[in-house]
Amino acid sequence: MTDSPVVRAPLDPQEAPILEGVLNIREQLSLLKQDKSTYIKSRDVLELYDQLIEQVHLLNIIREQNGKPLEQNRVDTVLDDCFQLTSLFFLTIGRNNEAPAIYSMTSTIKRLLDHLKEAAFYSPKDLESASQRLDMMQDTLRRGSEIYSPHLLTLLENRLNTCRNLLGDLQSSLADLSPKLTPIYERLVSILRSIAAANTRQKFPVDEVQGFRNQLLEIQAATVDGNFLAEDSTTPAGQDIAKELLNRCLKWSDIVLTRQGKIDERFQTIYDKLCDIRNQLEKLSITQAWSLRETDLYNFQRQLDRIDESRIDGNFEDENGNKADLHAQRTLLYLIRRSYAYIYTLLISSEPVSEALLPVFNQLQTLRRCLVEVKRSGGISSPRDLYPYSMKLSSIDNMRVDGKFMVGSDIPEGQGSVTALLAECFDLCHELRSDAEEDDTLAK
């Protein structure tokens, strides 16, 4: 199992039994995660979740008695592992809209916001996405206030508040940016990210990066007396923010063209590891619906956490304590940020359906896309054209027992989502058939 970042051992011997208990829970969660012979069952996850909450309750009692409610030691680190895994298990079993499921998302959002703040360049759209996701998670907490342990709810509320505070800092940094200047600013952000992505390609695309630099020079040439103008020829507020970003883009493009994608050899190993993580996550983002079990993201998260937290005062250092140059530093940070972004995308794309029902759900999604495309393209010429779709839908419908999709004697989570999707596909077939029969009637 991937270890968590190292912290000091517990100072209070009273916490030793709790540490043993949460280590045991983490081991059971890890074994459950590794078992790919069958789908994850809700009862197994809920049993371990209840054990975890009991340990948190005991820990809080000890720390309150000792006057150390904010103590942080190895117990907390292992607890974080357990909550991360439990959160991902809730996604795997299709309980996406329940409080425990949001723990992992809060961790990922905090990492992304920390990196955005450190990088000091981001677009308003980046912040809008994070803000909307935090609002959704707040609603999830509100719905679970009468169901889940107050220990969990307090923990999650604090994590959400931490994210909101970070988000507020980032929003205030762009407060002076005029909406009239936002399109130029967002274009600069896009170009800078495109250069960073090209910099990590296996074969360095010289012409592509030079093209990005030419775009930057065109933007610079369009300024008047060094200022960016809006479409109405006015000088909008936020000039310093945009100018600083343009200069940064030009400097970075020069560095990247000079280095031609070759990173300092001292950091080649960590670079290769981060590229491998990024590439695996990119592949998962493409094949997610058919190949992802959300708990698979745990090891990626922990590997990234360890690399991110290995920095000294924010800097990557070699074995002799020498800092990385600007090219290596920014390249490695880009790969970390990109990987966290992939994890974020995979988490928000997770469907509220148990992995046991995902094969059926994915088939229905494919059928719906096909039927929607047929309808958009003008419909069918004859009801017979619907036979393949109707036969497939009927075979799926016949899988139900008393209206439920069963796996053995179990009723997996996500019944509502799958049933609604099946009904939508039937409705699309009915609409297409009705339209075709109406056309036949008019033709006669």
Side-chain angles (χ1 to χ4, degrees), residues 240-384:
D240 290 342
I241 299 174
K243 289 177 186 177
E244 181 182 355
L245 182 56
L246 175 58
N247 291 332
R248 183 172 180 180
C249 288
L250 288 167
K251 182 178 180 180
W252 181 233
S253 66
D254 285 339
I255 293 174
V256 170
L257 284 169
T258 300
R259 297 300 291 268
Q260 301 272 307
K262 297 178 181 177
I263 197 165
D264 188 329
E265 292 182 356
R266 296 175 300 158
F267 301 95
Q268 187 67 49
T269 300
I270 188 173
Y271 173 79
D272 291 340
K273 185 174 183 179
L274 284 171
C275 280
D276 182 57
I277 293 173
R278 188 270 313 270
N279 293 341
Q280 289 185 63
L281 288 168
E282 182 179 21
K283 183 178 179 181
L284 276 176
S285 70
I286 297 172
T287 62
Q288 174 195 10
W290 302 97
S291 63
L292 177 67
R293 174 185 272 189
E294 283 80 359
T295 51
D296 294 340
L297 296 175
Y298 175 79
N299 286 345
F300 291 116
Q301 288 177 322
R302 281 299 178 238
Q303 289 179 70
L304 290 169
D305 292 348
R306 285 190 64 82
I307 294 173
D308 198 17
E309 294 173 14
S310 69
R311 295 187 286 154
I312 308 299
D313 296 327
N315 297 303
F316 288 99
E317 296 184 358
D318 63 15
E319 296 177 352
N320 299 321
N322 299 312
K323 296 179 181 179
D325 60 24
L326 184 60
H327 177 261
Q329 178 77 10
R330 286 191 179 177
T331 299
L332 297 176
L333 286 176
Y334 164 77
L335 288 169
I336 291 176
R337 284 194 294 272
R338 192 73 191 101
S339 297
Y340 277 126
Y342 274 127
I343 290 175
Y344 173 77
T345 301
L346 289 165
L347 287 174
I348 64 176
S349 301
S350 175
E351 298 286 355
V353 175
S354 167
E355 66 171 346
L357 291 183
L358 272 180
V360 174
F361 185 79
N362 291 334
Q363 290 177 55
L364 288 171
Q365 281 194 313
T366 301
L367 281 169
R368 180 180 61 181
R369 283 194 293 269
C370 291
L371 291 167
V372 168
E373 182 60 26
V374 169
K375 187 175 182 179
R376 188 188 68 81
S377 301
I380 56 176
S381 58
S382 168
R384 291 182 179 181

Side-chain angles (χ1 to χ4, degrees), residues 28-307:
Q28 292 182 68
L29 288 167
S30 180
L31 291 172
L32 189 61
K33 175 176 73 73
Q34 294 170 18
D35 184 6
K36 300 294 181 73
S37 62
T38 184
Y39 73 94
I40 303 297
K41 298 178 178 61
S42 296
R43 61 177 176 271
D44 295 333
V45 175
L46 294 176
E47 180 181 343
L48 291 171
Y49 165 76
D50 289 339
Q51 293 178 27
L52 181 61
I53 292 300
E54 177 61 24
Q55 294 299 320
V56 172
H57 176 61
L58 295 174
L59 179 65
N60 288 341
I61 292 175
I62 291 174
R63 289 184 175 176
E64 287 172 6
Q65 289 176 344
N66 295 336
K68 298 178 180 180
L70 302 180
E71 178 78 14
Q72 291 289 313
N73 53 46
R74 193 184 175 206
V75 175
D76 301 273
T77 303
V78 180
L79 276 173
D80 179 62
D81 288 343
C82 293
F83 277 117
Q84 289 280 6
L85 278 166
T86 301
S87 175
L88 293 172
F89 271 118
F90 265 73
L91 295 177
T92 303
I93 63 176
R95 296 195 169 197
N96 302 42
N97 300 318
E98 299 187 28
I102 72 175
Y103 187 95
S104 184
M105 178 61 79
T106 61
S107 299
T108 303
I109 289 180
K110 183 180 182 303
R111 290 280 180 179
L112 283 172
L113 293 177
D114 282 336
H115 275 277
L116 288 179
K117 187 173 184 178
E118 180 180 9
F121 77 91
Y122 42 87
S123 73
K125 291 180 181 178
D126 297 329
L127 306 186
E128 288 171 12
S129 175
S131 179
Q132 291 171 3
R133 186 55 50 177
L134 289 173
D135 289 342
M136 292 174 65
M137 291 192 288
Q138 190 70 57
D139 290 340
T140 299
L141 273 191
R142 195 176 298 113
R143 289 195 303 270
S145 60
E146 302 297 327
I147 303 173
Y148 287 97
S149 163
H151 302 293
L152 173 70
L153 296 175
T154 300
L155 173 65
L156 293 174
E157 187 70 46
N158 291 338
R159 293 170 73 85
L160 285 177
N161 288 336
T162 298
C163 291
R164 288 194 182 281
N165 291 336
L166 273 170
L167 181 63
D169 292 341
L170 294 171
Q171 290 171 329
S172 63
S173 297
L174 295 181
D176 295 331
L177 184 67
S178 168
K180 294 181 179 180
L181 196 54
T182 298
I184 295 175
Y185 183 84
E186 289 184 340
R187 186 182 176 193
L188 290 172
V189 170
S190 176
I191 292 174
L192 185 54
R193 287 176 175 170
S194 296
I195 294 173
N199 178 52
T200 60
R201 299 258 188 89
Q202 190 169 7
K203 183 178 180 181
F204 183 74
V206 178
D207 292 341
E208 185 176 336
V209 176
Q210 186 61 56
F212 291 132
R213 178 169 174 75
N214 291 340
Q215 291 181 44
L216 294 171
L217 294 175
E218 290 174 4
I219 294 173
Q220 186 181 49
T223 59
V224 177
D225 297 328
N227 291 319
F228 295 96
L229 299 184
E231 292 182 359
D232 57 4
S233 299
T234 59
T235 304
Q239 293 289 325
D240 290 342
I241 299 174
K243 289 177 186 177
E244 181 182 355
L245 182 56
L246 175 58
N247 291 332
R248 183 172 180 180
C249 288
L250 288 167
K251 182 178 180 180
W252 181 233
S253 66
D254 285 339
I255 293 174
V256 170
L257 284 169
T258 300
R259 297 300 291 268
Q260 301 272 307
K262 297 178 181 177
I263 197 165
D264 188 329
E265 292 182 356
R266 296 175 300 158
F267 301 95
Q268 187 67 49
T269 300
I270 188 173
Y271 173 79
D272 291 340
K273 185 174 183 179
L274 284 171
C275 280
D276 182 57
I277 293 173
R278 188 270 313 270
N279 293 341
Q280 289 185 63
L281 288 168
E282 182 179 21
K283 183 178 179 181
L284 276 176
S285 70
I286 297 172
T287 62
Q288 174 195 10
W290 302 97
S291 63
L292 177 67
R293 174 185 272 189
E294 283 80 359
T295 51
D296 294 340
L297 296 175
Y298 175 79
N299 286 345
F300 291 116
Q301 288 177 322
R302 281 299 178 238
Q303 289 179 70
L304 290 169
D305 292 348
R306 285 190 64 82
I307 294 173

